[in-house]
Amino acid sequence: MIEIIPAIDLIEGKCVRLTQGDYGQKTIYNENPLDVAMEFEDAGLKRLHLVDLDGAKAKKVINWKVLERIASKTKLYIDFGGGVQSEDDLRVVFESGAKQVTGGSIAVKQPELFQHWLSVYGGEKIILGADAKNEKIAVSGWEEGTQIWVYDFVEEYVEKGVKYAISTDVAKDGLLQGPSFDLYRNLQDKCPDLKIIASGGVSGLEDVEKLAEMNIYGVIIGKAIYENRISLTDLQRFIV
């Protein structure tokens, strides 16, 4: 059964969503992310993808207090990403209650440090962030493109111990036009043992069902929930 992972994206401590990673196209959905997290938990969901968009831009963790509040007030299994680029950032995030941490930019720009984190914390706690634009890795809150093919990038890290990867097709994110099924299919072909978490573009329940049929490990859902395209009740059928 596919893991359902609702998303909360943070700017200035508020629950927001961007369109295609554009900070100029921001919608605020709730002033209090804890309320949103508690709604997810009340609906029976067990996981949460928490993204510090301020941190991604600033290249250091900013919204750790929101993480701490949600972790202390709920039992959600939280993976945290955005701005984790130093040992101090990583320590603060784990101490604040995250169970897993996603490293994207760090894996591109400081591969030796990311490799060190993998060796210290293990592949169960460190998730590879592999966000792509035209199948090439995008970093720093998607504000920077690279010439690195996403498939080669992920395969190389799987060989180094990565077990989980979150991959967003930037072109799909926030548009509610469906996920990048080809991207995930290609990643599966390259890395059959990798636990792939699909992110971006989910528009309705049929997208979730299709990803489940593909045996994708997990799916992150944000805007489709906030725009009432998918109800929390709908998602309960996927909860084991």
Side-chain angles (χ1 to χ4, degrees):
M1 188 65 78
I2 193 167
E3 290 276 358
I4 302 297
I5 311 171
I8 293 178
D9 290 359
L10 300 169
I11 289 181
E12 296 175 353
K14 299 169 185 174
C15 174
V16 308
R17 294 302 289 173
L18 305 182
T19 299
Q20 294 183 296
D22 182 353
Y23 286 74
Q25 297 186 62
K26 175 181 74 177
T27 303
I28 297 172
Y29 286 105
N30 197 305
E31 300 274 337
N32 188 351
L34 176 60
D35 290 346
V36 180
M38 291 175 82
E39 278 183 49
F40 294 154
E41 186 175 49
D42 289 346
L45 297 175
K46 295 172 182 171
R47 299 184 63 120
L48 177 65
H49 178 63
L50 192 61
V51 181
D52 185 352
L53 290 174
D54 292 317
K57 208 170 185 178
K59 299 181 174 59
K60 63 179 182 178
V61 172
I62 302 288
N63 284 293
W64 60 271
K65 286 188 177 178
V66 179
L67 163 63
E68 190 175 60
R69 198 152 57 243
I70 293 173
S72 65
K73 301 288 187 184
T74 75
K75 293 178 181 176
L76 292 168
Y77 188 96
I78 302 169
D79 75 79
F80 184 94
V84 184
Q85 299 208 13
S86 70
E87 291 282 1
D88 280 347
D89 288 327
L90 193 66
R91 178 184 52 77
V92 165
V93 168
F94 279 133
E95 286 179 358
S96 298
K99 300 295 187 188
Q100 292 178 307
V101 173
T102 302
S105 300
I106 191 81
V108 176
K109 297 187 170 185
Q110 297 185 66
E112 289 178 2
L113 181 56
F114 185 79
Q115 179 79 50
H116 172 67
W117 293 353
L118 267 178
S119 63
V120 171
Y121 294 95
E124 293 297 327
K125 298 198 100 177
I126 304 294
I127 300 173
L128 178 66
D131 298 336
K133 196 169 188 175
N134 300 321
E135 298 185 299
K136 291 182 179 176
I137 291 292
V139 296
S140 301
W142 304 339
E143 293 192 317
E144 293 178 47
T146 73
Q147 294 302 308
I148 303 167
W149 282 104
V150 62
Y151 310 115
D152 295 342
F153 176 75
V154 173
E155 186 177 35
E156 187 178 320
Y157 271 115
V158 167
E159 290 169 2
K160 293 175 179 175
V162 159
K163 295 180 180 178
Y164 296 82
I166 294 174
S167 187
T168 307
D169 186 336
V170 177
K172 297 278 189 180
D173 188 66
L175 295 182
L176 299 170
Q177 293 176 359
S180 187
F181 296 110
D182 289 343
L183 172 66
Y184 305 125
R185 199 172 284 112
N186 291 339
L187 279 172
Q188 276 183 317
D189 290 344
K190 270 267 196 182
C191 308
D193 296 326
L194 179 67
K195 293 177 179 176
I196 298 166
I197 300 171
S199 172
V202 171
S203 62
L205 214 54
E206 65 280 358
D207 291 333
V208 180
E209 288 165 348
K210 186 171 178 179
L211 290 166
E213 286 166 12
M214 291 169 60
N215 292 316
I216 296 296
Y217 171 78
V219 57
I220 292 169
I221 310 172
K223 201 168 191 175
I225 293 173
Y226 297 113
E227 300 279 338
N228 298 312
R229 301 287 193 96
I230 298 177
S231 73
L232 296 180
T233 305
D234 289 335
L235 293 171
Q236 289 173 345
R237 75 174 77 169
F238 297 98
I239 299 169
V240 179

